[in-house]
Amino acid sequence: MTAQIIDGKKIAAEIRADLAKKIEASDDDYMPVLAVVLVGENPASQIYVRNKKKAAEEVGMGCEIYEFSDTIGENALLKSLQELNENHHIHGIIVQQPLPAQINPQKVLEVISPEKDVDGFSPYNTGLLQANDPHAIVAATPKGILKLIQSCCDNLNGKRAVIIGRSNIVGKPLSMLLLNQNCTVTIAHSKTENLPDLTREADILVCATGRPKMVKGDWIKEGAVVVDVGINHDENGKLCGDVDFDEALNKAAFITPVPGGVGPMTIAMLLENTWEAYIHQKQHEDSHSCCCGKHHAHECHCHH
Ligand code: NDP
């Protein structure tokens, strides 16, 4: 068997094109806007933030970057986030990690208003996800992974899913998403015993460990769907995932490549979350719309 490749790049491009169409057709006066908060000058963070801005602008979404010095105090940062919460022309707020030591990341997550928390990391949104509430804003990477799995698997009812990795940004939220789809879910981690025996039972195997080529061909059940979340470099400095791709090709039915699998979906899902947050806030604010029938981000100039 040679696995079919799940083309995350293509699926993400379709999602972005669809978003671009919806944004084009929506109210020009009041466009969706993502605020990205960047503290300090971490070069990797600066690249991620630039990429997010570029991706947002490509679909016609606004993106504002709020930069703060790495010496900013916790209270000052929390106050700025409160201001973004109250700013009606901003619909989504994300805070780029990592943060300097004086800032408690949990406090940051708690202060962002749940309807603008488009990373879906706040305790409120993770709670909604756990309750299988459709209003949950779901973190971009696990949301994208579920779409990739659904692109090759119509019915997830009763499927055995094994997720390697229990982080708050990937493993744990994905376990809830798959459970909500009626999968039987096991989460593995660094203390899990007999891991290959476990993964060999998986109809759906997701690996999110950051360990290059850790999952070997004989860890995989014949015909499984394999999603590789890892972004690593091999011994030759070449980009690779957590799965030994060449070995997995002979066992899996479907597999995501690295690069071109999960990565492109993450950014597409962030944009989708921002769009959905915008629609939700717009519906709420339409009840306060202007006498001219539109909602204005700024003062109304319709002179009615
Ligand atoms: P974390 O480091 O937060 O978590 C890694 C998880 O893997 C932990 O739960 C850890 O176990 C587990 N683990 C580590 N080694 C082993 C092992 N030998 N056997 C079993 N489990 C192990 O990572 P993230 O979740 O943030 O990211 C995981 C990978 O995914 C990284 O490569 C990251 O770059 C990539 N990533 C990619 C994204 C994308 O958009 N494509 C987005 C986010 C992440 P324990 O808890 O016991 O320590």
Side-chain angles (χ1 to χ4, degrees):
M1 169 184 289
T2 301
Q4 281 188 46
I5 308 295
I6 306 174
D7 191 344
K9 208 169 155 190
K10 180 162 168 260
I11 297 172
E14 286 163 6
I15 292 167
R16 291 205 315 267
D18 185 48
L19 277 177
K21 265 194 217 141
K22 287 181 183 154
I23 293 169
E24 169 87 53
S26 77
D27 187 347
D28 282 338
D29 229 22
Y30 185 58
M31 71 188 315
V33 180
L34 171 67
V36 184
V37 174
L38 176 61
V39 184
E41 290 174 8
N42 179 319
S45 294
Q46 286 172 328
I47 294 172
Y48 294 143
V49 166
R50 263 207 310 275
N51 288 345
K52 286 171 188 170
K53 184 173 169 68
K54 188 166 166 267
E57 289 174 349
E58 274 170 11
V59 297
M61 198 176 266
C63 182
E64 297 179 6
I65 300 176
Y66 292 82
E67 288 184 72
F68 297 96
S69 139
D70 62 1
T71 57
I72 189 173
E74 187 175 82
N75 285 340
L77 183 64
L78 296 180
K79 187 163 169 283
S80 299
L81 290 168
Q82 283 284 13
E83 285 166 10
L84 291 175
N85 282 342
E86 284 154 23
N87 183 337
H88 290 288
H89 94 272
I90 300 281
H91 307 94
I93 304 170
I94 59 173
V95 179
Q96 188 64 45
Q97 307 274 350
L99 289 165
Q102 75 275 16
I103 315 271
N104 178 344
Q106 196 56 30
K107 282 197 184 167
V108 166
L109 295 182
E110 283 169 18
V111 84
I112 298 173
S113 145
E115 69 267 25
K116 295 193 180 186
D117 165 38
V118 289
D119 261 341
F121 295 154
S122 71
Y124 190 84
N125 277 310
T126 54
L128 289 183
L129 171 63
Q130 185 152 338
N132 197 7
D133 185 313
H135 296 105
I137 300 182
V138 178
T141 302
K143 190 177 179 182
I145 294 170
L146 179 62
K147 289 216 181 185
L148 292 178
I149 294 169
Q150 286 173 325
S151 76
C152 58
C153 211
D154 290 341
N155 186 356
L156 297 179
N157 262 339
K159 293 272 191 276
R160 280 293 312 267
V162 173
I163 302 164
I164 319 177
R166 57 175 160 181
S167 72
N168 289 337
I169 63 167
V170 186
K172 275 189 214 157
L174 180 65
S175 70
M176 282 301 141
L177 284 176
L178 290 173
L179 185 60
N180 293 343
Q181 294 293 324
N182 299 324
C183 289
T184 304
V185 183
T186 305
I187 312 176
H189 46 77
S190 66
K191 307 290 184 292
T192 298
E193 292 180 358
N194 305 325
L195 183 55
D197 286 343
L198 200 63
T199 59
R200 274 193 283 269
E201 292 178 9
D203 303 308
I204 297 162
L205 176 61
V206 181
C207 195
T209 63
R211 301 273 177 265
K213 301 187 186 178
M214 171 184 138
V215 173
K216 303 296 173 197
D218 64 358
W219 291 33
I220 297 170
K221 179 176 173 178
E222 191 89 34
V225 175
V226 177
V227 178
D228 190 350
V229 189
I231 304 174
N232 316 296
H233 290 94
D234 68 12
E235 58 284 0
N236 304 316
K238 197 173 157 230
L239 201 61
C240 72
D242 293 349
V243 177
D244 189 320
F245 186 78
D246 293 337
E247 288 191 16
L249 272 181
N250 300 321
K251 293 297 285 291
F254 296 92
I255 185 166
T256 62
V258 178
V262 176
M265 291 299 283
T266 295
I267 194 107
M269 290 300 101
L270 173 66
L271 301 177
E272 189 176 275
N273 280 351
T274 308
W275 167 256
E276 286 168 1
Y278 160 81
I279 291 294
H280 181 76
Q281 287 161 53
K282 192 164 133 89
Q283 279 163 355
H284 179 73
E285 291 193 2
D286 271 351
S287 52
H288 310 291
S289 66
C290 172
C291 51
C292 68
K294 284 192 159 188
H295 178 92
H296 302 286
H298 305 289
E299 196 186 340
C300 173
H301 298 297
C302 65
H303 306 303
H304 285 221

